[in-house]
Each structure stands twice: as C-alpha cells, then as structure tokens.
C-alpha cells in the first residue's frame, strides 16, 4: 500500500466518521426540540386566551364558584414576587459570602465540611426543604412572637432559601475561581489588603457572571410548588403580610386550578410562569454579555 493510498483511505474514514457523528448530533437535537416545541405550543394554545383576558393579572380566585365571576391570579403573582424577593434578599448575600470564604479563605476540615454540605443541599428534593421550614419556623415563631403560625409567606421564603443558597454558592465559586491569580498578586504588590482586593478586583471582575448566575437561580426557584404547598399554603385573597396568614404563589395557583378542574386558568398560570422564566434567562444572558470585563 502506497502512502498516497493510505492517506486517501484515512481521509475517507474521517469524512465518514464526521458525517455519522454530525447526523447523530442533529438527530439528538431534533428529538430534544420536538417535545419542547410541543410543550410551548400546547401551553400557548391553551392558556393565551385566559391570560390575556379581563382581570387575570388583577383579580383573585375569591368567589370563583359563583356564576359569571371574574377571577384571576393577581394575588398569586403578588405572592410570588414577595416570596421570591425575600428569598433573594436572604440567599444572595449568604451564598456570595460563603463562596468568598471557600475560595479566598477556606482551608482545612471546616471548609471541606461546608463544601460537602453545599453539595448535599444542591441535591436534596425540594419537598425536604419545605418540611425543614415547616418544622423550624413554628418553633421560631413561638419563641419570638408567642404563637405557632404554621403557614406563612416567610416560611415559604425560608424553604426557597434552602434551595437557592447552594446554587448561588456554586455559581459564585466558579466565577471567583475564573479570576486569574495574577490579578490578585498584582493587587497585593500595590499594598492592597486582601479584603480590598476581593471587593475591588475579584468581585468586580466576576460581577457579570455572579449576577447572571443569581438571575438563573431565581428562575430556578420561582417555579417551585412542593415546598410552598407545605409552607406558604393557599388563599383566595391578597395577602402582603409575610408573617401572618397564608400566601398564594403561581406554582400553587396552577396546581389548585388544575385540581379544581379549571384547566384554562391552570394553563394560563403555567404560560405566565414560562414567560417569567424565559425573561429571567434572557436577562441573565444580557447581563453576562453586556457587563463582562473587556477582553474576556
């Protein structure tokens, strides 16, 4: 066999292998895309008319059993925004500070224990977070306020904090580790303290990645229903008090409407949730692209 023949056969095998691999990849992509497009089409078809109808964003489910009553998910939207906002206020600082400790300061068995616990929390089922909040918060209410309020918006926020914090920790860790050690050493060479270096160099360099990760974490927990069924409960009216009374959220609203046989309202709530998650993911991508340090 001549060198030319061997080279030709090898080139032919590579072309065949490349064609087969390309076909498999395209086939897998199409197979993954079909159920996604089918889901989106079904949700839009079933829920668009109800979501864009009169009163969906402002009315409540109070009086839904009466004929001709105008009902909507206004109280569920408000509850979702309140609970998710409080969750972010607690989980974001906690997650970022934990990640800074693990990357910049953490050494030895204590840091390894925290890393292990974060890994465990990342994989726990969401219902477990709800059970934890349901067990812990009544005891705290009893100690602080003298009553054992079982279901409340704050209890739902605590359950979501358990789910969101490890996501923020993991994302922030990865972003901080991407900052080159040379930048830190250059800052130290100028006489800057470690704390100032972290604030002015490390966090500033990784700010876009951290922020986009936080937005994705919010999109991840905003659709949770199982822990909120246990902790936040359900109501047919607006409730803005986190510490008293049950508070409805969109995922629980979808579940309630489905179990009551109100299919159109359930599809509308699902469509609104998908739209919110889509917007949050687009926002995360925009933040990552717009505010990334130049040259990265």
């Amino acid at each position: 066999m001549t060198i030319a023949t061997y080279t030709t056969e090898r080139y032919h095998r590579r072309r065949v292998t490349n064609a087969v691999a390309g076909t498999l990849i395209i086939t897998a992509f199409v197979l993954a895309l079909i159920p996604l497009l089918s889901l989106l089409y079904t949700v839009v078809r079933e829920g668009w008319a109800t979501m864009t109808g009169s009163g969906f964003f402002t009315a409540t489910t109070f009086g839904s059993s009466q004929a001709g009553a105008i009902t909507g998910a206004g109280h569920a939207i408000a509850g979702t925004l309140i609970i998710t906002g409080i969750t972010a206020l607690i989980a974001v600082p906690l997650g970022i500070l934990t990640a800074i400790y693990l990357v910049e300061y953490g050494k030895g068995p204590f840091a390894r224990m925290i890393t292990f616990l974060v890994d465990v929390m990342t994989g726990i089922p969401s219902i477990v977070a709800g059970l934890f909040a349901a067990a812990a918060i009544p005891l705290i209410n009893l100690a602080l306020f003298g009553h054992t309020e079982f279901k409340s918006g704050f209890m739902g926020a605590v359950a979501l904090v358990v789910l969101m914090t490890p996501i923020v920790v993991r994302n922030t860790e990865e972003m901080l580790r991407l900052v080159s050690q040379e930048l830190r050493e250059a800052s130290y060479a100028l006489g800057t303290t470690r704390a100032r270096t972290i604030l002015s160099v490390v966090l500033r360099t990784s700010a876009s990645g951290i922020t986009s990760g936080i937005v994705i974490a919010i999109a991840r927990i905003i659709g949770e229903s199982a822990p909120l069924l246990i902790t936040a409960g359900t109501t047919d009216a607006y409730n803005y008090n986190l510490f008293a009374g049950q508070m409805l959220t969109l995922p629980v609203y979808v579940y309630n409407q489905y179990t009551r046989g109100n299919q159109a309202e359930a599809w509308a709530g699902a469509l609104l949730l998908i739209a919110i998650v889509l917007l949050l993911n687009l926002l995360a991508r925009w933040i990552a692209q717009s505010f990334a340090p130049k040259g990265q």
Side-chain angles (χ1 to χ4, degrees):
M1 179 183 299
T2 63
I3 296 178
T5 304
Y6 173 77
T7 303
T8 303
E9 291 182 355
R10 187 176 180 182
Y11 176 72
H12 178 71
R13 285 198 300 270
R14 287 182 176 179
R15 290 189 61 183
V16 172
T17 303
N18 182 70
V20 171
T23 302
L24 291 176
I25 292 172
I26 294 174
T27 303
F29 171 75
V30 172
L31 290 176
L33 196 62
I34 289 174
L36 175 61
L37 293 177
S38 175
L39 172 64
L40 291 176
Y41 170 75
T42 304
V43 173
V44 172
R45 183 191 63 190
E46 299 291 340
W48 178 259
T50 302
M51 191 184 76
T52 56
S54 175
F56 180 80
F57 291 95
T58 56
T60 68
T61 52
F62 182 78
S64 58
S65 60
Q66 301 176 2
I70 298 177
T71 61
H75 56 322
I77 298 171
T80 298
L81 296 177
I82 293 172
I83 292 178
T84 305
I86 296 301
T87 300
L89 287 177
I90 299 173
V92 170
L94 184 61
I96 291 177
L97 292 175
T98 302
I100 291 175
Y101 170 77
L102 292 175
V103 175
E104 303 293 337
Y105 298 96
K107 293 181 181 179
F110 183 66
R112 289 195 295 270
M113 182 184 68
I114 293 178
T115 301
F116 173 75
L117 292 176
V118 170
D119 291 337
V120 172
M121 291 174 62
T122 303
I124 64 171
S126 59
I127 192 70
V128 176
L131 292 174
F132 163 77
I137 299 303
L139 298 178
I140 298 175
N141 285 337
L142 181 62
L144 296 179
F145 307 111
H147 62 81
T148 56
E149 182 74 33
F150 182 68
K151 291 184 178 182
S152 65
F154 181 71
M155 187 185 295
V158 170
L160 295 184
V161 165
V162 176
L163 297 174
M164 182 175 175
T165 301
I167 301 175
V168 176
V169 172
R170 275 286 163 259
N171 172 76
T172 306
E173 264 193 288
E174 295 302 320
M175 294 300 104
L176 295 179
R177 294 187 193 280
L178 288 176
V179 179
S180 64
Q181 188 63 27
E182 286 76 10
L183 287 177
R184 295 178 174 88
E185 293 175 354
S187 179
Y188 297 149
L190 295 174
T192 308
T193 62
R194 173 176 284 191
R196 184 63 180 273
T197 298
I198 293 172
L199 288 174
S200 302
V201 178
V202 178
L203 287 179
R204 180 172 294 183
T205 304
S206 57
S208 62
I210 293 174
T211 305
S212 61
I214 290 171
V215 175
I216 291 175
I218 293 174
R220 160 70 175 79
I221 59 101
I222 202 172
E224 289 291 344
S225 59
L228 296 178
L229 279 170
I230 298 175
T231 55
T234 181
T235 179
D236 290 325
Y238 282 95
N239 178 22
Y240 300 106
N241 191 340
L242 277 168
F243 301 96
Q246 301 185 33
M247 185 177 289
L248 187 66
T249 56
L250 273 173
V252 179
Y253 169 84
V254 172
Y255 172 79
N256 288 345
Q257 296 304 107
Y258 179 79
T259 55
R260 294 172 183 173
N262 301 326
Q263 303 294 328
E265 288 80 2
W267 283 113
L271 177 58
L272 181 57
L273 270 176
I274 291 175
I276 293 174
V277 172
L278 175 62
L279 290 176
L280 288 173
N281 279 274
L282 292 176
L283 176 62
R285 293 178 63 89
W286 178 77
I287 291 173
Q289 294 176 0
S290 301
F291 296 96
K294 301 303 179 182
Q296 292 190 2

